Amino acid sequence: KNNIIDSCGVADVLNFSGGGGIACYGGAALIEGNRIERCLAQSGGGIYLYQAEATIRGNRIAGCSPNVEYSGTRHGGGIYALHSTVALEGNTIENNDGYRKGGGVYLYLSPATIAGDTIALNDGIDAGAGICADRSSLSLSRAVVRQNTSPSSGGGIYLHAASIDISNCIVTLNRSNVIGGGMYADSCWGAVTNNTFDRNHAVYGGGNAFLAPNPSLAIKNNLFSYGAKNGFQPNSLNHITFRFNN
């Protein structure tokens, strides 16, 4: 709590390391009020969680990344969570590099709540520069997801096989060099309500949002503005409820 953790971590190119700044293997953790900057690990440059229950509140996580020379997963520039339960609140997660997936936050088989966080200016060479949630449940509210850049799908938010509840967020100025500049959702179920998707960009479609086939999604009361190319683009409207959006 209330520490400065700067330029820590391991750069071993052969052996796995998780969490350049902080690593939690099992148990419960409160990570609060820290500055975690310029840290390096094979996965989870800033924070790595495995089979942990973590509350991460009021931190600045910036300039962290996996080691690009390592041949393993290299996901999660800011935060990497595997088989964990995560609650994020009021953090600034910015300028991190996921190298592969999840420049800001990477979740795999990990239920997470993210409330009031700013996730900005993160990047990577694979999906989900801001947030990547794969086979996880995600509750995202009152967050600002902005200016994240992915050469793959989901510049701001990438969702795959996830249970989602996304509400009252601002998703703006994110970019994908493929599809889904603001948000990409595939095989997901849940609700996206009362959000602003503004001026996100994707090269091939779904500038603000791209929906691949999903088993059940409710898209309600959102503002989709000035997205390019094709600001809101569903692959299919089957099982999609789309109401009261602008």
Side-chain angles (χ1 to χ4, degrees), residues 157-181:
I157 304 168
Y158 177 91
L159 307 164
H160 175 253
S163 170
I164 61 172
D165 181 5
I166 300 174
S167 63
N168 302 301
C169 296
I170 297 172
V171 181
T172 184
L173 298 172
N174 301 285
R175 180 180 175 88
S176 163
N177 287 348
V178 186
I179 52 178

Side-chain angles (χ1 to χ4, degrees), residues 92-180:
T92 298
I93 302 170
E94 63 183 7
N95 287 306
N96 301 288
D97 186 350
Y99 190 71
R100 288 189 176 170
K101 295 180 179 179
V105 178
Y106 178 79
L107 306 168
Y108 188 76
L109 297 171
S110 296
T113 61
I114 301 175
D117 296 74
T118 296
I119 299 171
L121 299 163
N122 302 287
D123 60 21
I125 65 167
D126 206 331
I131 301 169
C132 178
D134 192 354
R135 295 172 175 85
S136 301
S137 65
L138 173 64
S139 173
L140 178 67
S141 64
R142 299 179 287 106
V144 175
V145 182
R146 62 172 176 85
Q147 293 174 280
N148 301 284
T149 302
S150 170
S152 185
S153 301
I157 304 168
Y158 177 91
L159 307 164
H160 175 253
S163 170
I164 61 172
D165 181 5
I166 300 174
S167 63
N168 302 301
C169 296
I170 297 172
V171 181
T172 184
L173 298 172
N174 301 285
R175 180 180 175 88
S176 163
N177 287 348
V178 186
I179 52 178

Side-chain angles (χ1 to χ4, degrees), residues 63-87:
C64 298
S65 69
N67 181 11
V68 300
E69 297 179 356
Y70 177 60
S71 61
T73 56
R74 293 176 290 183
H75 300 318
I79 298 171
Y80 180 110
L82 173 62
H83 293 294
S84 295
T85 300
V86 190

Side-chain angles (χ1 to χ4, degrees), residues 207-234:
N208 279 321
F210 184 93
L211 304 182
N214 291 278
S216 178
L217 273 183
I219 312 292
K220 298 180 180 180
N221 300 318
N222 301 282
L223 174 63
F224 296 96
S225 59
Y226 301 106
K229 176 181 179 181
N230 301 332
F232 177 82
Q233 184 174 345

Side-chain angles (χ1 to χ4, degrees), residues 11-30:
D12 190 331
V13 300
L14 298 177
N15 300 302
F16 177 79
S17 66
I22 295 173
C24 299
Y25 291 81
L30 171 62

